[in-house]
Amino acid sequence: DTAVSQTPKYLVTQMGNDKSIKCEQNLGHDTMYWYKQDSKKFLKIMFSYNNKELIINETVPNRFSPKSPDKAHLNLHINSLELGDSAVYFCASSQGRQIDYTFGSGTRLTVV
Amino acid sequence: QQQVKQSPQSLIVQKGGISIINCAYENTAFDYFPWYQQFPGKGPALLIAIRPDVSEKKEGRFTISFNKSAKQFSLHIMDSQPGDSATYFCAATNRDDKIIFGKGTRLHILP
Protein backbone atom coordinates (compact mmCIF):
# COMPACT_ATOMS: atom_id res chain seq x y z
CA ASP A 1 0.00 0.00 0.00
CA THR A 2 2.84 2.39 0.88
CA ALA A 3 3.86 4.57 -2.08
CA VAL A 4 7.49 5.33 -1.15
CA SER A 5 8.97 3.10 1.51
CA GLN A 6 12.35 3.41 3.18
CA THR A 7 14.19 1.00 5.40
CA PRO A 8 15.28 1.16 8.09
CA LYS A 9 13.22 3.85 9.81
CA TYR A 10 15.86 4.33 12.49
CA LEU A 11 19.58 3.66 12.30
CA VAL A 12 22.04 4.17 15.16
CA THR A 13 25.65 3.41 14.41
CA GLN A 14 29.17 4.24 15.45
CA MET A 15 31.53 6.62 13.70
CA GLY A 16 33.56 4.97 10.99
CA ASN A 17 30.97 2.33 10.15
CA ASP A 18 29.45 1.79 6.69
CA LYS A 19 25.66 1.67 6.35
CA SER A 20 22.99 1.51 3.66
CA ILE A 21 19.47 2.89 3.41
CA LYS A 22 17.02 1.36 0.95
CA CYS A 23 14.13 3.00 -0.89
CA GLU A 24 11.41 1.52 -3.04
CA GLN A 25 8.45 3.16 -4.77
CA ASN A 26 5.39 1.45 -6.25
CA LEU A 27 4.00 4.52 -8.03
CA GLY A 28 5.49 3.70 -11.42
CA HIS A 29 7.57 6.90 -11.24
CA ASP A 30 10.81 7.06 -13.20
CA THR A 31 12.69 9.65 -11.13
CA MET A 32 13.89 9.19 -7.56
CA TYR A 33 15.70 11.46 -5.12
CA TRP A 34 17.61 11.48 -1.85
CA TYR A 35 17.20 14.47 0.46
CA LYS A 36 18.93 15.21 3.76
CA GLN A 37 17.01 17.06 6.47
CA ASP A 38 19.13 18.50 9.26
CA SER A 39 18.09 19.34 12.82
CA LYS A 40 16.81 22.74 11.67
CA LYS A 41 14.46 21.02 9.21
CA PHE A 42 16.32 22.33 6.16
CA LEU A 43 15.75 20.03 3.14
CA LYS A 44 18.82 19.61 0.95
CA ILE A 45 18.84 17.54 -2.22
CA MET A 46 21.69 15.06 -2.52
CA PHE A 47 21.04 12.93 -5.60
CA SER A 48 18.49 12.29 -8.29
CA TYR A 49 18.14 9.36 -10.67
CA ASN A 50 15.99 9.17 -13.78
CA ASN A 51 15.51 5.67 -15.18
CA LYS A 52 18.58 4.44 -13.31
CA GLU A 53 20.71 7.30 -14.62
CA LEU A 54 22.24 9.84 -12.23
CA ILE A 55 20.97 13.32 -13.17
CA ILE A 56 21.59 15.39 -10.04
CA ASN A 57 24.66 15.06 -7.86
CA GLU A 58 24.91 17.95 -5.44
CA THR A 59 28.05 18.75 -3.48
CA VAL A 60 28.03 15.67 -1.30
CA PRO A 61 31.10 13.91 0.14
CA ASN A 62 32.08 10.94 -1.99
CA ARG A 63 31.50 8.77 1.09
CA PHE A 64 27.88 8.86 -0.07
CA SER A 65 27.16 6.62 -3.04
CA PRO A 66 23.69 6.12 -4.49
CA LYS A 67 22.75 3.05 -6.46
CA SER A 68 19.66 2.49 -8.57
CA PRO A 69 19.27 -1.15 -9.63
CA ASP A 70 16.00 -0.32 -11.39
CA LYS A 71 13.70 2.67 -11.64
CA ALA A 72 11.64 1.53 -8.62
CA HIS A 73 14.62 1.38 -6.25
CA LEU A 74 17.22 3.87 -5.08
CA ASN A 75 19.61 2.94 -2.32
CA LEU A 76 22.10 5.11 -0.45
CA HIS A 77 25.35 3.71 0.87
CA ILE A 78 27.43 5.74 3.30
CA ASN A 79 31.05 4.88 4.07
CA SER A 80 33.07 5.93 7.10
CA LEU A 81 30.16 7.57 8.89
CA GLU A 82 30.85 10.85 10.70
CA LEU A 83 28.97 12.64 13.49
CA GLY A 84 27.85 15.30 11.00
CA ASP A 85 26.03 12.69 8.94
CA SER A 86 23.40 12.46 11.67
CA ALA A 87 20.14 13.63 10.06
CA VAL A 88 16.90 12.38 8.60
CA TYR A 89 17.29 11.09 5.06
CA PHE A 90 14.26 11.19 2.79
CA CYS A 91 13.69 9.34 -0.42
CA ALA A 92 11.24 10.84 -2.91
CA SER A 93 9.95 10.07 -6.37
CA SER A 94 8.25 11.85 -9.24
CA GLN A 95 7.22 11.13 -12.80
CA GLY A 96 9.79 12.49 -15.22
CA ARG A 97 10.18 16.21 -14.84
CA GLN A 98 6.79 16.42 -13.17
CA ILE A 99 7.43 18.35 -10.07
CA ASP A 100 5.05 16.93 -7.51
CA TYR A 101 7.23 14.77 -5.33
CA THR A 102 6.06 11.89 -3.16
CA PHE A 103 8.29 11.50 -0.11
CA GLY A 104 8.95 8.49 2.04
CA SER A 105 8.67 8.67 5.83
CA GLY A 106 12.40 9.12 6.30
CA THR A 107 15.30 7.30 7.92
CA ARG A 108 16.63 8.88 11.09
CA LEU A 109 20.37 8.24 11.14
CA THR A 110 22.24 8.84 14.38
CA VAL A 111 26.02 8.51 14.40
CA VAL A 112 27.55 8.14 17.87
CA GLN B 1 19.34 33.38 -7.64
CA GLN B 2 18.41 29.85 -6.71
CA GLN B 3 17.22 30.68 -3.21
CA VAL B 4 13.70 30.71 -1.89
CA LYS B 5 13.45 32.81 1.26
CA GLN B 6 10.74 31.81 3.71
CA SER B 7 9.44 33.60 6.79
CA PRO B 8 8.71 33.39 9.62
CA GLN B 9 10.82 30.56 10.94
CA SER B 10 8.15 29.74 13.50
CA LEU B 11 4.57 30.84 14.04
CA ILE B 12 2.04 30.45 16.83
CA VAL B 13 -1.62 31.08 16.03
CA GLN B 14 -4.77 30.72 18.08
CA LYS B 15 -7.33 28.16 16.98
CA GLY B 16 -9.66 29.76 14.48
CA GLY B 17 -7.14 32.40 13.45
CA ILE B 18 -5.41 32.94 10.12
CA SER B 19 -1.89 31.58 9.63
CA ILE B 20 0.23 33.39 7.04
CA ILE B 21 3.59 32.19 5.73
CA ASN B 22 5.54 34.23 3.20
CA CYS B 23 8.10 33.33 0.57
CA ALA B 24 10.19 35.26 -1.93
CA TYR B 25 12.27 34.15 -4.88
CA GLU B 26 14.79 35.65 -7.30
CA ASN B 27 14.86 33.37 -10.32
CA THR B 28 12.28 34.56 -12.85
CA ALA B 29 12.57 31.20 -14.64
CA PHE B 30 10.64 29.51 -11.84
CA ASP B 31 7.18 28.58 -13.09
CA TYR B 32 5.74 26.32 -10.43
CA PHE B 33 5.36 27.05 -6.72
CA PRO B 34 4.28 24.16 -4.47
CA TRP B 35 3.79 24.11 -0.73
CA TYR B 36 4.61 21.01 1.27
CA GLN B 37 3.32 20.10 4.73
CA GLN B 38 5.36 17.91 7.07
CA PHE B 39 4.09 16.34 10.27
CA PRO B 40 6.56 15.07 12.91
CA GLY B 41 8.01 11.72 11.95
CA LYS B 42 6.66 11.91 8.40
CA GLY B 43 7.96 13.01 5.05
CA PRO B 44 6.81 16.25 3.42
CA ALA B 45 3.58 15.95 1.45
CA LEU B 46 2.32 18.20 -1.31
CA LEU B 47 -0.38 20.49 0.05
CA ILE B 48 -1.20 22.97 -2.71
CA ALA B 49 0.61 24.50 -5.68
CA ILE B 50 0.26 27.46 -8.04
CA ARG B 51 1.57 28.57 -11.40
CA PRO B 52 2.43 32.25 -12.01
CA ASP B 53 -0.38 32.79 -14.51
CA VAL B 54 -2.87 33.09 -11.64
CA SER B 55 -2.77 35.36 -8.60
CA GLU B 56 -4.60 33.09 -6.18
CA LYS B 57 -5.47 29.45 -5.69
CA LYS B 58 -7.79 28.14 -3.00
CA GLU B 59 -8.30 24.60 -1.77
CA GLY B 60 -10.54 24.38 1.25
CA ARG B 61 -9.02 26.42 4.07
CA PHE B 62 -5.68 26.77 2.25
CA THR B 63 -5.02 29.65 -0.16
CA ILE B 64 -1.89 30.61 -2.07
CA SER B 65 -1.55 34.26 -3.03
CA PHE B 66 0.96 35.00 -5.78
CA ASN B 67 2.51 38.35 -6.70
CA LYS B 68 4.57 37.89 -9.86
CA SER B 69 5.90 41.45 -10.05
CA ALA B 70 7.14 41.33 -6.47
CA LYS B 71 8.34 37.73 -6.83
CA GLN B 72 6.53 36.79 -3.66
CA PHE B 73 3.96 34.20 -2.71
CA SER B 74 2.25 33.28 0.51
CA LEU B 75 0.20 30.55 2.13
CA HIS B 76 -2.88 31.49 4.12
CA ILE B 77 -4.56 28.95 6.38
CA MET B 78 -8.03 30.13 7.34
CA ASP B 79 -9.76 28.95 10.54
CA SER B 80 -6.49 27.35 11.68
CA GLN B 81 -6.93 24.10 13.61
CA PRO B 82 -4.61 22.23 16.01
CA GLY B 83 -4.36 19.50 13.35
CA ASP B 84 -2.69 22.06 11.06
CA SER B 85 0.32 22.17 13.42
CA ALA B 86 3.21 21.08 11.22
CA THR B 87 6.24 22.39 9.35
CA TYR B 88 5.40 24.08 6.05
CA PHE B 89 7.84 24.42 3.16
CA CYS B 90 7.38 26.70 0.20
CA ALA B 91 9.23 25.71 -2.93
CA ALA B 92 9.90 26.83 -6.47
CA THR B 93 11.02 25.13 -9.63
CA ASN B 94 10.83 25.08 -13.37
CA ARG B 95 10.24 22.01 -15.48
CA ASP B 96 13.91 21.49 -16.28
CA ASP B 97 15.38 21.65 -12.80
CA LYS B 98 15.05 20.41 -9.27
CA ILE B 99 12.74 21.83 -6.62
CA ILE B 100 14.28 24.53 -4.43
CA PHE B 101 12.79 24.44 -0.93
CA GLY B 102 12.50 27.26 1.57
CA LYS B 103 13.89 26.65 5.04
CA GLY B 104 10.51 25.84 6.52
CA THR B 105 8.07 27.38 9.01
CA ARG B 106 7.11 25.52 12.17
CA LEU B 107 3.45 26.31 12.74
CA HIS B 108 1.80 25.67 16.10
CA ILE B 109 -1.93 26.19 16.53
CA LEU B 110 -3.00 26.74 20.13
CA PRO B 111 -6.15 24.79 21.13
Side-chain angles (χ1 to χ4, degrees):
Chain A
D1 211 23
T2 307
V4 179
S5 58
Q6 298 178 225
T7 54
K9 189 168 176 64
Y10 301 96
L11 187 52
V12 181
T13 188
Q14 289 189 327
M15 274 197 314
N17 283 351
D18 303 338
K19 290 293 178 186
S20 292
I21 306 171
K22 295 186 175 183
C23 179
E24 175 183 5
Q25 54 93 6
N26 63 5
L27 296 165
H29 289 167
D30 60 5
T31 305
M32 296 183 73
Y33 311 83
W34 278 113
Y35 276 82
K36 180 180 180 181
Q37 186 172 50
D38 61 24
S39 57
K40 295 184 178 178
K41 297 286 189 178
F42 184 50
L43 277 166
K44 181 175 167 57
I45 191 167
M46 301 174 70
F47 302 104
S48 174
Y49 271 76
N50 176 262
N51 276 321
K52 303 193 297 177
E53 182 183 340
L54 182 66
I55 55 172
I56 293 175
N57 184 355
E58 294 292 296
T59 307
V60 175
N62 58 15
R63 297 182 295 104
F64 291 78
S65 52
K67 279 193 171 54
S68 182
D70 56 60
K71 70 175 189 178
H73 295 84
L74 180 62
N75 304 323
L76 183 65
H77 187 75
I78 316 170
N79 289 325
S80 303
L81 278 154
E82 300 178 356
L83 292 176
D85 298 332
S86 296
V88 181
Y89 292 83
F90 286 101
C91 176
S93 71
S94 68
Q95 179 54 32
R97 293 295 191 181
Q98 212 180 58
I99 34 202
D100 291 339
Y101 291 6
T102 301
F103 282 84
S105 293
T107 295
R108 180 174 294 277
L109 172 65
T110 304
V111 182
V112 297
Chain B
Q1 264 236 328
Q2 285 291 86
Q3 277 191 326
V4 176
K5 294 182 181 178
Q6 183 172 348
S7 62
Q9 194 172 9
S10 62
L11 181 60
I12 299 174
V13 175
Q14 290 280 355
K15 180 182 174 182
I18 302 173
S19 304
I20 302 174
I21 304 170
N22 300 300
C23 286
Y25 64 98
E26 292 290 327
N27 189 346
T28 55
F30 289 146
D31 64 358
Y32 187 69
F33 301 88
W35 285 86
Y36 282 77
Q37 179 188 54
Q38 184 181 21
F39 292 108
K42 301 291 186 184
L46 180 67
L47 180 65
I48 186 173
I50 196 168
R51 295 196 183 277
D53 52 347
V54 297
S55 60
E56 185 176 282
K57 182 172 182 181
K58 185 175 180 178
E59 289 183 2
R61 296 184 294 107
F62 299 89
T63 300
I64 301 177
S65 297
F66 189 85
N67 186 329
K68 188 174 180 179
S69 60
K71 292 185 282 188
Q72 294 175 346
F73 58 111
S74 59
L75 177 70
H76 294 234
I77 306 174
M78 312 300 285
D79 187 27
S80 299
Q81 299 296 312
D84 298 329
S85 297
T87 299
Y88 292 80
F89 294 93
C90 64
T93 186
N94 61 47
R95 289 174 192 268
D96 297 321
D97 207 347
K98 59 186 179 289
I99 286 183
I100 306 297
F101 285 95
K103 293 196 173 183
T105 296
R106 296 191 199 209
L107 173 64
H108 182 65
I109 308 299
L110 297 172

